[in-house]
Amino acid sequence: MSLNPLELFAQLPGAVAQGLIWGIMAIGVYITYRILNIADLTVDGSFCTGGAVCVVMLLSGYNVGLSLLCAFLAGMLTGLATGLFQTVCGISAILAGILTQLGLWSVNLNIMGKPNQAINVNNYDLLVSLRYLQEVLKGTRPFYWSPILVAGLFVVVIVGLLYWFFGTELGCSIRATGTNLHMARAQGINTDFNKVLGLMLSNGLVALSGGLLAQYQGFADINMGRGAIVIGLAAVIIGEVVFARIFRNFALRLLGIAAGAIIYYVVIQAVLWMKLDPNNLKLLSALIVAVFLAVPHWKKSLTAPFARKGGGRDA
Amino acid sequence: MLEIQKISKTFNPNTVNEKIALKGLSLVLKDGEFVTVIGGNGAGKSTMLNAVAGVFPVDDGHILIGGDDVTRLPEYKRAAFIGRVFQDPMMGTAASMGIEENLALALRRGQRRSLRWGISHKEREQYRQLLASLGLGLEDRLTTKVGLLSGGQRQALTLLMATIKKPRLLLLDEHTAALDPKTAAKVLETTESIVNRDKLTTLMITHNMKDAIMHGDRLIMLYEGQIVVDVSGEEKKRLTVEKLLELFSRASGSDEAEDKMILS
Ligand SMILES: Nc1ncnc2c1ncn2[C@@H]1O[C@H](COP(=O)(O)OP(=O)(O)OP(=O)(O)O)[C@@H](O)[C@H]1O
Ligand SMILES: [Mg+2]
């Protein structure tokens, strides 16, 4: 078995493009996980909803812009469902997400009509496609068609919009809702409304990302969102660990999350290049995320006054 | 300004944990009145304040603020009329947000949150002046995350937030209890000066009988979900700790007052 570095190098542009597309999803996860302080599992379903809506609309002859917009709106509806489960029905955040996710399985199948809907890049005008990437690299297509550029543009515009939004009165009140419910209510903030709004925004972005990925890979699949939340968390955590010290500004931190997704995909490519059985990828992802989530906890208990060294107090 | 009409509240009704916290409690506060509230642990002081703030619905009775019946209004809507400071310094501020961001959130209490920018340049000057009046040096640290402040600094900031938009009613629930004596005195002094300056109608819970006697122009004592002592005017000015204990044991019909009140 020989490892050819050139082979890995050839895979890099694809990893970066995929990372950027998933980066949009990761930014959506950041909104719930970090800003609203909710672990939202809707993501695994809404990612596929975005892909399904986008592909089915393209197949029905709508243009790519409208298809992506509808994917975004459909994602917002999934967030609305989870949000109403949490606020109106009083269901815990985790369970609310799981319920929506489960229900979306049927919804997504209904949208697509079958578990897998392919879309041929030869017959439709797509915004991003693996084919475009290959053609740009070969020089048979102008550089501005590169999915890296297009997805990168999406990321930059989205980060810009979010930077503005979370600086507004409404955006600030959403941040306060995620930080301290008591304080938010005492300051007259409608915390239920804000939670729903945040979940909608988050899942809208997740679905948009799903719409882009479906185009990029040329199909939407009922399983395309499976484990998406873990990839999103991985990107958020990697982005924070790598860039937290350098990026204090909110917009830069969001860009750091997208960069985290790129790093994740480059690492995955590298692991595949080392001939790891792809079936074990999900196990690897789960372990990586678990370790990264555990590290801050371990750090805390090591530095806490009564931990380990000074321990024995409550023994 | 505040009218509490026979409110009752039972927690966990019809279970083994059933707890009657308020029993048909009534209270009327005149405009600008500063009332201190004392009572043993579990007497229902916090429950009374939380009922007024709308943290939970009451089982019975009505609550009017400035003539408006707010009994059915959710907590976040009542906040338009009410400023609050909690016992826990962590509870009143958003730790991950800056000092100015917290103040900006408070300045918009009771308004619809729009898509305008969250803080305007003009406001910053106002914040600087308000913070300077605290004398804690916070006026030069507008963008510092509130999570980095000490408990006393956070309570002082929460006090500013509660009063930056003049509330019809200020609710203080043992807001100095978690602070060291020196800081507590300082925060209490700030409270007194803000309340006097803006002539705020105020309910202040305290465990410290001296503070309860020293501050405010009326004192009420709660016992088992009811008001058992209510003194104001000249009588309040002449009040002493001994006299208060005596009033309490007479009202509660026992002399458990000593242990209950002094210990707490
Ligand atoms: N959310 C709740 N659920 C169940 N019981 C509660 C709840 N809040 C208060 N109680 C009970 O109601 C009674 C009154 O509590 P409250 O907190 O009003 O007392 P307090 O006068 O503020 O006492 P303290 O001086 O200890 O703060 C207590 O017996 C308490 O255990
Ligand atoms: Mg209390």
Side-chain angles (χ1 to χ4, degrees), chain A residues 28 31-33 36 38-43 46 75-87 93 96-97 100 166 174 192-206:
Chain A
I31 291 175
T32 48
Y33 186 65
L36 275 182
I38 294 174
D40 176 34
L41 300 182
T42 314
V43 173
S46 58
M76 289 187 88
L77 283 181
T78 68
L80 176 67
T82 304
L84 294 181
F85 279 147
Q86 287 185 27
T87 54
T100 310
F166 283 105
I174 292 181
D192 281 351
F193 175 82
N194 279 358
K195 271 190 207 168
V196 174
L197 192 61
L199 283 164
M200 288 176 72
L201 186 57
S202 163
N203 282 291
L205 290 175
V206 170

Side-chain angles (χ1 to χ4, degrees), chain B residues 140-264:
Chain B
D140 304 319
R141 301 172 62 189
L142 282 183
T143 54
T144 301
K145 298 264 179 290
V146 170
L148 300 173
L149 303 184
S150 71
Q153 289 173 325
R154 285 178 83 160
Q155 285 307 69
L157 177 62
T158 311
L159 201 57
L160 275 193
M161 290 166 61
T163 53
I164 192 166
K165 263 201 89 181
K166 191 183 170 192
R168 290 185 188 175
L169 188 63
L170 178 62
L171 303 179
L172 310 168
D173 189 350
E174 298 191 49
H175 68 306
T176 59
L179 310 175
D180 64 81
K182 222 178 115 199
T183 317
K186 176 102 182 90
V187 170
L188 210 53
E189 191 186 306
T190 310
T191 309
E192 178 88 47
S193 76
I194 291 178
V195 169
N196 287 339
R197 185 193 65 198
D198 293 343
K199 305 194 171 38
L200 297 174
T201 313
T202 304
L203 270 175
M204 179 174 92
I205 300 179
T206 173
H207 254 135
N208 185 321
M209 285 204 258
K210 282 209 200 81
D211 286 343
I213 292 168
M214 211 160 64
H215 298 274
D217 26 49
R218 181 175 168 194
L219 180 151
I220 61 174
M221 187 190 286
L222 261 65
Y223 179 71
E224 294 188 344
Q226 286 176 323
I227 296 173
V228 291
V229 172
D230 186 342
V231 285
S232 52
E234 282 306 308
E235 193 189 356
K236 157 89 169 39
K237 287 199 185 113
R238 286 197 306 270
L239 215 54
T240 59
V241 172
E242 293 74 36
K243 177 94 175 93
L244 205 51
L245 284 171
E246 191 194 312
L247 280 172
F248 179 73
S249 38
R250 204 186 310 157
S252 63
S254 76
D255 37 40
E256 63 178 324
E258 307 267 332
D259 332 332
K260 262 210 173 152
M261 303 287 298
I262 291 176
L263 284 179
S264 53

Side-chain angles (χ1 to χ4, degrees), chain B residues 5-234:
Chain B
Q5 300 172 345
K6 294 197 178 137
I7 55 167
S8 300
K9 179 72 193 177
T10 303
F11 290 109
N12 311 314
N14 308 320
T15 68
V16 283
N17 292 322
E18 182 172 283
K19 177 72 209 172
I20 302 173
L22 295 176
K23 288 185 217 162
L25 181 144
S26 296
L27 177 68
V28 177
L29 258 62
K30 287 201 289 274
D31 211 350
E33 211 167 20
F34 183 177
V35 179
T36 54
V37 184
I38 57 170
N41 289 112
K45 307 181 295 294
S46 299
T47 308
M48 177 178 79
L49 245 60
N50 289 335
V52 171
V55 177
F56 42 71
V58 291
D59 304 334
D60 225 336
H62 289 273
I63 297 166
L64 282 72
I65 299 176
D68 297 323
D69 189 335
V70 299
T71 317
R72 306 237 150 270
L73 231 48
E75 183 179 1
Y76 80 91
K77 281 194 179 158
R78 288 191 212 186
F81 312 126
I82 301 176
R84 283 155 78 193
V85 185
F86 311 92
Q87 175 171 353
D88 180 357
M90 301 297 159
M91 233 158 111
T93 47
S96 65
M97 298 173 79
I99 292 178
E100 60 174 15
E101 285 178 316
N102 273 274
L103 285 165
L105 285 166
L107 190 65
R108 286 159 181 77
R109 190 172 59 229
Q111 286 172 20
R112 214 175 60 84
R113 312 274 163 170
S114 73
L115 289 178
R116 274 193 303 267
W117 200 244
I119 306 177
S120 75
H121 275 295
K122 267 191 308 194
E123 291 164 28
R124 286 206 174 89
E125 203 35 54
Q126 185 191 353
Y127 298 159
R128 252 188 221 106
Q129 284 173 9
L130 282 171
L131 290 165
S133 73
L134 292 178
L136 296 170
L138 294 180
E139 60 274 19
D140 304 319
R141 301 172 62 189
L142 282 183
T143 54
T144 301
K145 298 264 179 290
V146 170
L148 300 173
L149 303 184
S150 71
Q153 289 173 325
R154 285 178 83 160
Q155 285 307 69
L157 177 62
T158 311
L159 201 57
L160 275 193
M161 290 166 61
T163 53
I164 192 166
K165 263 201 89 181
K166 191 183 170 192
R168 290 185 188 175
L169 188 63
L170 178 62
L171 303 179
L172 310 168
D173 189 350
E174 298 191 49
H175 68 306
T176 59
L179 310 175
D180 64 81
K182 222 178 115 199
T183 317
K186 176 102 182 90
V187 170
L188 210 53
E189 191 186 306
T190 310
T191 309
E192 178 88 47
S193 76
I194 291 178
V195 169
N196 287 339
R197 185 193 65 198
D198 293 343
K199 305 194 171 38
L200 297 174
T201 313
T202 304
L203 270 175
M204 179 174 92
I205 300 179
T206 173
H207 254 135
N208 185 321
M209 285 204 258
K210 282 209 200 81
D211 286 343
I213 292 168
M214 211 160 64
H215 298 274
D217 26 49
R218 181 175 168 194
L219 180 151
I220 61 174
M221 187 190 286
L222 261 65
Y223 179 71
E224 294 188 344
Q226 286 176 323
I227 296 173
V228 291
V229 172
D230 186 342
V231 285
S232 52
E234 282 306 308

Side-chain angles (χ1 to χ4, degrees), chain A residues 109-131:
Chain A
L109 273 177
N110 276 315
I111 293 173
M112 291 191 289
K114 53 183 182 178
N116 185 300
Q117 268 292 2
I119 181 152
N120 191 329
V121 59
N122 293 326
N123 308 331
Y124 296 90
D125 287 327
L126 304 183
L127 212 51
V128 286
S129 165
L130 180 58
R131 178 81 61 83

Side-chain angles (χ1 to χ4, degrees), chain A:
Chain A
M1 175 170 106
S2 69
L3 299 179
N4 181 357
L6 280 179
E7 243 171 55
L8 175 63
F9 194 70
Q11 295 295 333
L12 278 186
V16 172
Q18 276 210 41
L20 280 167
I21 293 173
W22 283 94
I24 297 171
M25 190 223 45
I27 290 171
V29 169
Y30 182 86
I31 291 175
T32 48
Y33 186 65
R34 280 292 185 236
I35 298 183
L36 275 182
N37 218 350
I38 294 174
D40 176 34
L41 300 182
T42 314
V43 173
D44 284 23
S46 58
F47 189 73
C48 175
T49 305
V53 167
C54 187
V55 166
V56 167
M57 281 192 64
L58 284 167
L59 289 174
S60 319
Y62 292 98
N63 76 43
V64 70
L66 188 64
S67 306
L68 278 172
L69 179 68
C70 287
F72 179 76
L73 294 176
M76 289 187 88
L77 283 181
T78 68
L80 176 67
T82 304
L84 294 181
F85 279 147
Q86 287 185 27
T87 54
V88 176
C89 310
I91 300 171
S92 76
I94 298 272
L95 198 52
I98 292 176
L99 290 177
T100 310
Q101 186 196 111
L102 183 70
L104 283 178
W105 176 272
S106 305
V107 173
N108 293 341
L109 273 177
N110 276 315
I111 293 173
M112 291 191 289
K114 53 183 182 178
N116 185 300
Q117 268 292 2
I119 181 152
N120 191 329
V121 59
N122 293 326
N123 308 331
Y124 296 90
D125 287 327
L126 304 183
L127 212 51
V128 286
S129 165
L130 180 58
R131 178 81 61 83
Y132 297 168
L133 183 68
Q134 291 158 346
E135 288 172 359
V136 168
L137 290 175
K138 266 189 285 180
T140 55
R141 207 174 244 280
F143 74 95
Y144 51 78
W145 273 104
S146 165
I148 296 180
L149 212 64
V150 176
L153 202 63
F154 264 87
V155 168
V156 169
V157 169
I158 287 168
V159 167
L161 286 173
L162 290 178
Y163 180 75
W164 163 76
F165 178 70
F166 283 105
T168 64
E169 292 177 354
L170 181 62
C172 283
S173 79
I174 292 181
R175 283 157 61 208
T177 300
T179 311
N180 185 343
L181 274 181
H182 295 287
M183 174 270 189
R185 289 199 196 113
Q187 298 306 339
I189 292 167
N190 187 344
T191 50
D192 281 351
F193 175 82
N194 279 358
K195 271 190 207 168
V196 174
L197 192 61
L199 283 164
M200 288 176 72
L201 186 57
S202 163
N203 282 291
L205 290 175
V206 170
L208 178 68
S209 164
L212 286 171
L213 186 75
Q215 291 181 49
Y216 180 80
Q217 63 189 16
F219 63 88
D221 185 276
I222 191 69
N223 285 319
M224 69 188 278
R226 178 167 287 179
I229 181 69
V230 177
I231 297 176
L233 287 178
V236 168
I237 296 164
I238 294 171
E240 285 180 343
V241 167
V242 177
F243 301 107
R245 294 249 161 67
I246 347 175
F247 292 166
R248 320 240 29 207
N249 172 286
F250 180 65
L252 291 179
R253 280 213 309 261
L254 289 181
L255 287 178
I257 304 303
I262 296 176
I263 294 173
Y264 176 84
Y265 268 92
V266 169
V267 170
I268 294 291
Q269 278 306 336
V271 170
L272 287 176
W273 168 74
M274 291 188 290
K275 309 271 195 295
L276 181 100
D277 180 356
N279 286 338
N280 293 330
L281 266 188
K282 285 207 158 57
L283 176 63
L284 188 74
S285 305
L287 287 176
I288 291 175
V289 171
V291 168
F292 272 103
L293 286 176
V295 165
H297 175 72
W298 289 335
K299 263 197 198 155
K300 231 189 274 164
S301 55
L302 272 175
T303 50
F306 300 122
R308 315 229 168 164
K309 267 187 240 160
R313 280 214 155 195
D314 44 12

